[in-house]
Amino acid sequence: MAITSVPMRRASARSRERAGWLRVHIVWAQLAAIAAIIIALPFGREIDPDFWWHLRTGQLIFHGGIPRHDVYSFTIVSHTWVAHEWLSELIIYGVESIFGYAGNALLFGGATLGALALMYALARQAGAGTKPLVALVLLSTIMLAFFVTVRPQMFTWLLFAAFIYIIGRYERGARLTLWALPPLMALWVNLHLGFVYGLVVVGVWSATKVAEAALRRDIAQARQPAVIALLCVLATMLNPHGPAIFTYLAQYFVAGRTERSLIQEWQRPYFALNVCWPLLIASVLILLSVVSRNRPKLYLCVLAVIAIGLSAQAARNIPFVALLLVPIAGCAAADRWRGARREADSHLRVSTAFAGAFAIAVGAFVLIMSSHLHGALSGLDPSSASYPARATAYLKEHEP
């Protein structure tokens, strides 16, 4: 028996090794499928109507600089124009000029994927295992799928996730990474008006650090967060319009309430919308995590409640709930159940080479196909099903 037990143990070890190898590639196949879905979303969707505005404005900025007044209107040509998305529009025009719409679809799909990947990485670093994270990432993807298209809002998602990730790294001891926030804020304020969400993140986090420091009577630990928050506010002034960006922001949310009530994404979500059920599930998971004994850091709890409240006010805020879901619910599950922890899947020796090869292959394929996809997917000739293409063609021919 002793002689035959050695081969049997070796066979058992090989069997476990093969099972572990299979589990690794099943996990990566699941994550790769989710990544491919996100990247493919902008390609298979009707082009967002705002794309044409961004593209034309990017061309205008490239050739004539950032506009200061309305150059498109005949009746209010003197109307002040705060071009708060000027850098995004310049990027859209540049990418369209080189790669066509396929390049922009890849860029903005990649920005969405990057945001979700940062949340996944943060949850993993905090100890969450792949079992809950794959399920949570899938739910987040379903929520994001309703909104992913070529528009500057995707840059806000990416930078929102970057702020959460950097602060999470700081909380785990990476002190120097915090100084990346002010430069990112300077970039954000020129990409999209959603930079205000970054101020909310930094403001909530620094406020909780000050409160915790006051309770512990150790003000020194709140000094760096307070300085970073102040620098982020100052960084928002690094835009072509300076402090006027906040005046425009106030007008947009107060004086523009009537106009926004006519735009679907600014309306409250109702349960006839397909995205409402995933939102409800995600909100319940987040709230259960927040009130549990295994709740995350205080600033994440506050941000989660704010995000859920904002999503109830306007459908366009749902992606913030989708992004926060992964680290909040993932870490709460890991703290509660041993099988949901990273240690439980330590046998999953994730192959970085495998992931890198997949990413390179997908990127190369899309870039190679960009020229072929340009004519079919760029939408530079709008379809008559969704746009007044025939009317536009008639005007171009008869009333130039």
Side-chain angles (χ1 to χ4, degrees):
M1 293 295 295
I3 298 176
T4 58
S5 63
V6 174
M8 290 177 64
R9 287 197 296 268
R10 289 177 179 174
S12 178
R14 285 194 296 269
S15 177
R16 287 194 299 269
E17 185 177 349
R18 283 194 296 268
W21 181 92
L22 181 61
R23 284 192 290 268
V24 168
H25 289 80
I26 287 175
V27 168
W28 272 107
Q30 292 169 334
L31 294 175
I34 292 172
I37 290 171
I38 293 175
I39 292 292
L41 282 171
F43 288 95
R45 167 171 290 164
E46 188 73 53
I47 294 176
D48 187 90
D50 287 354
F51 171 76
W52 312 107
W53 167 274
H54 296 312
L55 180 62
R56 181 67 179 86
T57 303
Q59 183 185 36
L60 178 70
I61 293 171
F62 182 80
H63 293 287
I66 300 172
R68 299 288 180 167
H69 60 87
D70 193 340
V71 297
Y72 297 136
S73 175
F74 173 74
T75 56
I76 52 172
V77 67
S78 61
H79 179 70
T80 301
W81 181 2
V82 178
H84 60 90
E85 299 172 321
W86 73 271
L87 184 55
S88 292
E89 290 163 340
L90 188 62
I91 292 172
I92 288 173
Y93 174 70
V95 173
E96 176 75 26
S97 301
I98 299 173
F99 299 108
Y101 185 77
N104 272 311
L106 177 63
L107 172 64
F108 286 88
T112 305
L113 179 59
L116 199 52
L118 285 173
M119 296 295 89
Y120 177 89
L122 181 61
R124 285 288 291 175
Q125 292 169 13
T130 56
K131 291 179 180 179
L133 287 184
V134 170
L136 292 171
V137 167
L138 180 58
L139 178 57
S140 296
T141 300
I142 293 172
M143 297 167 66
L144 292 170
F146 292 92
F147 303 94
V148 179
T149 185
V150 177
R151 58 186 305 185
Q153 190 178 354
M154 271 79 270
F155 289 142
T156 280
W157 299 353
L158 177 60
L159 288 166
F160 176 83
F163 269 51
I164 298 293
Y165 178 81
I166 290 171
I167 291 173
R169 291 278 295 162
Y170 172 86
E171 293 289 339
R172 294 182 61 79
R175 303 295 179 179
L176 293 179
T177 59
L178 203 60
W179 295 100
L181 294 182
L184 286 176
M185 181 58 74
L187 173 65
W188 197 346
V189 73
N190 291 286
L191 287 170
H192 190 243
L193 202 62
F195 75 89
V196 67
Y197 294 103
L199 292 179
V200 170
V201 171
V202 174
V204 167
W205 173 67
S206 61
T208 58
K209 297 300 288 187
V210 170
E212 291 172 354
L215 289 175
R216 297 174 182 175
R217 297 182 180 180
D218 184 12
I219 302 300
Q221 71 174 4
R223 187 177 296 121
Q224 188 177 6
V227 170
I228 292 296
L230 176 61
L231 290 177
C232 284
V233 173
L234 294 176
T236 61
M237 303 299 154
L238 301 177
N239 71 88
H241 308 283
I245 195 73
F246 287 97
T247 303
Y248 177 79
L249 183 65
Q251 292 175 345
Y252 187 84
F253 284 103
V254 178
R257 186 177 302 169
T258 302
E259 289 82 354
R260 287 187 287 110
S261 67
L262 302 174
I263 302 174
Q264 185 178 18
E265 68 178 2
W266 279 107
Q267 297 175 8
R268 295 183 178 183
Y270 49 93
F271 282 97
L273 294 177
N274 293 330
V275 71
C276 281
W277 290 109
L279 172 62
L280 180 60
I281 295 171
S283 299
V284 169
L285 290 175
I286 289 175
L287 292 176
L288 288 175
S289 302
V290 167
V291 300
S292 70
R293 290 181 301 175
N294 312 107
R295 67 178 64 89
K297 294 282 188 178
L298 179 59
Y299 76 94
L300 280 177
C301 295
V302 176
L303 287 175
V305 173
I306 292 174
I308 292 173
L310 290 175
S311 69
Q313 293 297 316
R316 66 176 283 139
N317 293 317
I318 292 175
F320 299 110
V321 178
L323 293 173
L324 288 171
L325 170 69
V326 177
I328 291 178
C331 293
D335 289 337
R336 185 173 180 83
W337 294 294
R338 185 182 301 273
R341 298 174 187 172
R342 186 173 60 184
E343 293 81 5
D345 51 34
S346 58
H347 60 280
L348 295 177
R349 299 174 182 176
V350 177
S351 172
T352 305
F354 177 82
F358 175 80
I360 293 172
V362 171
F365 173 78
V366 174
L367 289 176
I368 291 172
M369 293 299 294
S370 290
S371 59
H372 301 288
L373 294 172
H374 178 80
L377 294 176
S378 69
L380 296 181
D381 293 319
S383 66
S384 58
S386 302
Y387 299 100
R390 293 183 180 178
T392 304
Y394 180 88
L395 290 174
K396 288 178 65 176
E397 182 177 354
H398 296 92
E399 304 289 344

